[in-house]
Amino acid sequence: VQLVESGGGLVQGGGSLRLSCAASGGTFSIYTMGWFRQAPGKAREFVSSIDGIGDSSYYTDSVKGRFTISRDNAKNTLYLQMNSLKPDDTAVYYCAATLYVGSDYSHPSQYHYWGQGTQVTVSS
């Protein structure tokens, strides 16, 4: 499956952005999807994940209550609504897809397919 992110940009602290991830080349609904981010000089970190039908979602603690993951399987698209953005949220954001079945989807190594990333920059 091919993944293409969009929606990144420059935003002031406290602002909002919505990232999208368009999938093609596979049956989108069978994949658990995740959002990761990587800031300069730091390891890629888990942000959020959602199961194939959108029933279960998980968030890293630092984004709980501010970010919302969702998916539209009819449109083969994953979303990440980001509100109350902070400078610490500045990073390249990646979407990823996995066929892994388990209880923890927070490790990059569990994902089989990755997008190219979209830059999010939050100014103070």
Side-chain angles (χ1 to χ4, degrees):
V1 63
Q2 292 78 46
L3 305 172
V4 179
E5 302 96 335
S6 61
L10 173 63
V11 63
Q12 280 192 327
S16 298
L17 283 174
R18 187 175 82 154
L19 304 183
S20 298
C21 172
S24 61
T27 304
F28 183 61
S29 60
I30 70 173
Y31 293 94
T32 290
M33 299 296 296
W35 286 101
F36 289 77
R37 64 187 181 186
Q38 188 165 17
K42 294 188 177 181
R44 192 166 297 190
E45 69 166 346
F46 172 77
V47 175
S48 182
S49 65
I50 188 167
D51 71 353
I53 58 173
D55 259 5
S56 298
S57 58
Y58 300 92
Y59 300 89
T60 192
D61 286 346
S62 62
V63 308
K64 283 180 182 176
R66 300 189 298 123
F67 291 11
T68 303
I69 191 170
S70 62
R71 66 190 296 161
D72 185 338
N73 286 344
K75 295 182 178 180
N76 291 348
T77 303
L78 173 74
Y79 303 100
L80 185 69
Q81 178 66 45
M82 305 186 296
N83 298 329
S84 303
L85 282 162
K86 306 175 181 179
D88 283 350
D89 296 317
T90 295
V92 178
Y93 283 71
Y94 299 90
C95 66
T98 182
L99 293 171
Y100 168 76
V101 177
S103 59
D104 181 2
Y105 291 92
S106 65
H107 301 284
S109 61
Q110 294 164 330
Y111 289 77
H112 302 96
Y113 304 98
W114 292 84
Q116 83 290 348
T118 186
Q119 177 70 47
V120 171
T121 303
V122 184
S123 63
S124 55

